[in-house]
Amino acid sequence: MRQLTVRLEERSYPILIGSGLLAQAPQYFEQYGLTKKSPLLIITDEHVASKYLSDLEQTLRAAGFTVVSAVVPSGETSKSLSVYQDMMTAAIEGKLDRSSAIVALGGGVVGDLAGFVAATYMRGIKFVQVPTTILAHDSSVGGKVAVNHPLAKNMIGAFHQPELVLYDVDTLQTLPPRDVSAGLSEMLKHGLIRDEAFAYWCEEHADELLALDPEALGYGLERGCGIKAEIVSRDERENGERALLNLGHTIGHAIEAIAGYGEFLHGEAISIGMAGSALLGEKLGAPAGLYDDTVRMLRSLRLPVTMPKHLDTDALMDAMMHDKKFREGHMVFIIPDRIGAARIVKDVPITAVREVIELLKKGE
């Protein structure tokens, strides 16, 4: 088993990565402060529930935990205020109290939703992240939890750190190939912003990662989580350095908003966004070749790098204006200077962003 720590003084917590961890959940839940005296609420989605919910419920109940569960539809549409209200109802009807905890069993959508429920139920109770996707290695670490508004993604949220991230890699073996690639997008992102050697490692081991080779996947998850944990430990509430983790997200969120949460998986939209950020970086002075290298790495993981021509440029620009990274009339972008090094640029010319969008549509 691999173990990391997100260091936040009294709110520090471990990330455990390994095989067979779901079966050992009761001992880790007790070890890291969850009580058997109050009910646990497991929040999951329909897809994950069919595979893992029953076994986890039985394992926890056999160990003496009281467990209630709530299942939401799969997909980004579950990060809504209406589903959030349903989850609050489930918590109230399940008689959760201040000593209870919420368990997020699933991918990034479930983690964000369940975490926001935990952050706001009775003004905040404990929760545990139990990710079942590669993509969730990013979203399950760092305590950013949220739901979406029709006008903007993740605009309604909080910072609420989990007690524990329990990452059973066995759950990744059933992921469809497209979901695997989408998850690896965020893994590569961590290398692109902070670790050049890891970014090239992702490219060199792309075939093994896509095949879910346990050794390659274990190392990739450990290093990806480790980079994020290092950054979060220094900037928990995104007052500075943590914003680097948004590489590719300004364009990516706009794609999701305009295309709808269905045409692209989150990691796919972020992949196109990272290609755009590299292109923008070259326009703002980064060395030539940055874009080509970035695109090659993304393509090695079978990720998209071009903007669909049917997405309206004006609509995309408008969506970026609603993004949290649009401040005081200026566009804020995370711009790579080279592979493995990125910076926050707070006054990016809107004309340059529009030009990048058009070039992405042409595949240039």
Side-chain angles (χ1 to χ4, degrees):
M1 184 178 71
R2 301 170 187 267
Q3 180 168 346
L4 306 165
T5 301
V6 181
R7 301 191 182 282
L8 296 168
E9 298 179 352
E10 72 277 2
R11 294 185 312 286
S12 297
Y13 58 91
I15 305 167
L16 308 181
I17 304 170
S19 176
L21 296 186
L22 275 182
Q24 302 171 55
Q27 73 180 68
Y28 291 118
F29 284 11
E30 281 195 275
Q31 182 178 345
Y32 292 102
L34 273 63
T35 179
K36 295 180 180 178
K37 296 179 180 179
S38 300
L40 300 179
L41 170 61
I42 302 174
I43 297 178
T44 189
D45 68 29
E46 294 168 337
H47 179 72
V48 176
S50 66
K51 291 181 170 63
Y52 307 114
L53 179 58
S54 179
D55 285 347
L56 181 58
E57 287 175 326
Q58 291 177 25
T59 298
L60 290 169
R61 285 171 180 153
F65 286 93
T66 300
V67 181
V68 293
S69 302
V71 180
V72 304
S74 301
E76 189 78 19
T77 54
S78 284
K79 278 180 57 175
S80 68
L81 288 170
S82 62
V83 175
Y84 163 77
Q85 181 170 321
D86 291 342
M87 295 303 98
M88 295 298 276
T89 300
I92 294 168
E93 291 180 346
K95 296 181 170 54
L96 271 66
D97 58 34
R98 292 188 186 279
S99 298
S100 291
I102 290 177
V103 179
L105 174 67
V109 168
V110 166
D112 283 0
L113 171 67
F116 188 53
V117 173
T120 51
Y121 183 77
M122 302 189 78
R123 298 184 178 85
I125 62 173
K126 294 178 178 181
F127 88 114
V128 174
Q129 291 274 18
V130 185
T132 60
T133 67
I134 299 172
L135 189 69
H137 89 279
D138 180 69
S139 58
S140 65
V141 178
K144 286 174 73 171
V145 296
V147 294
N148 298 331
H149 186 277
L151 294 179
K153 183 180 173 74
N154 294 332
M155 193 63 75
I156 305 165
F159 289 94
H160 191 59
Q161 302 295 342
E163 304 300 307
L164 164 71
V165 178
L166 191 68
Y167 212 145
D168 189 336
V169 296
D170 294 346
T171 64
L172 307 179
Q173 295 298 321
T174 58
L175 290 174
R178 188 180 172 192
D179 291 72
V180 172
S181 290
L184 294 174
S185 174
E186 294 275 14
M187 182 184 290
L188 175 61
K189 178 198 75 175
H190 292 122
L192 292 175
I193 63 174
R194 181 49 57 88
D195 188 334
E196 179 182 17
F198 180 58
Y200 282 106
W201 180 90
C202 289
E203 180 183 19
E204 292 163 6
H205 293 82
D207 289 345
E208 296 157 70
L209 291 168
L210 290 166
L212 299 174
D213 174 78
E215 187 61 30
L217 192 58
Y219 173 74
L221 292 172
E222 179 182 31
R223 186 63 192 127
C225 288
I227 292 170
K228 182 161 188 179
E230 291 164 12
I231 292 173
V232 169
S233 294
R234 289 192 292 268
D235 180 19
E236 180 182 1
R237 293 184 172 267
E238 202 170 302
N239 294 314
E241 182 184 7
R242 182 168 177 165
L244 294 173
L245 295 166
N246 292 319
L247 177 67
H249 284 60
T250 303
I251 293 174
H253 283 172
I255 292 171
E256 289 178 301
I258 301 308
Y261 299 113
E263 182 173 349
F264 291 95
L265 299 177
H266 177 68
E268 294 170 336
I270 299 311
S271 175
I272 299 169
M274 289 192 289
S277 295
L279 191 55
L280 193 55
E282 287 193 7
K283 289 186 174 296
L284 298 180
L290 172 64
Y291 171 70
D292 288 342
D293 287 349
T294 301
V295 164
R296 189 187 66 249
M297 291 177 175
L298 292 166
R299 282 179 170 158
S300 75
L301 297 171
R302 300 176 192 165
L303 287 160
V305 294
T306 58
M307 180 76 70
K309 292 180 173 59
H310 70 272
L311 296 184
D312 182 72
T313 299
D314 289 336
L316 288 164
M317 295 297 295
D318 185 62
M320 282 187 261
M321 301 298 183
H322 282 105
D323 193 271
K324 299 188 298 296
K325 293 169 280 299
F326 178 76
R327 297 177 181 172
E328 300 174 0
H330 303 300
M331 299 201 77
V332 180
F333 263 83
I334 310 306
I335 303 294
D337 289 319
R338 58 176 176 80
I339 300 297
R343 60 191 169 98
I344 304 165
V345 181
K346 296 185 177 180
D347 193 7
V348 176
I350 292 176
T351 53
V353 178
R354 180 179 288 273
E355 184 179 353
V356 163
I357 296 298
E358 293 298 335
L359 289 172
L360 287 174
K361 287 185 177 183
K362 295 176 183 178
E364 299 177 9

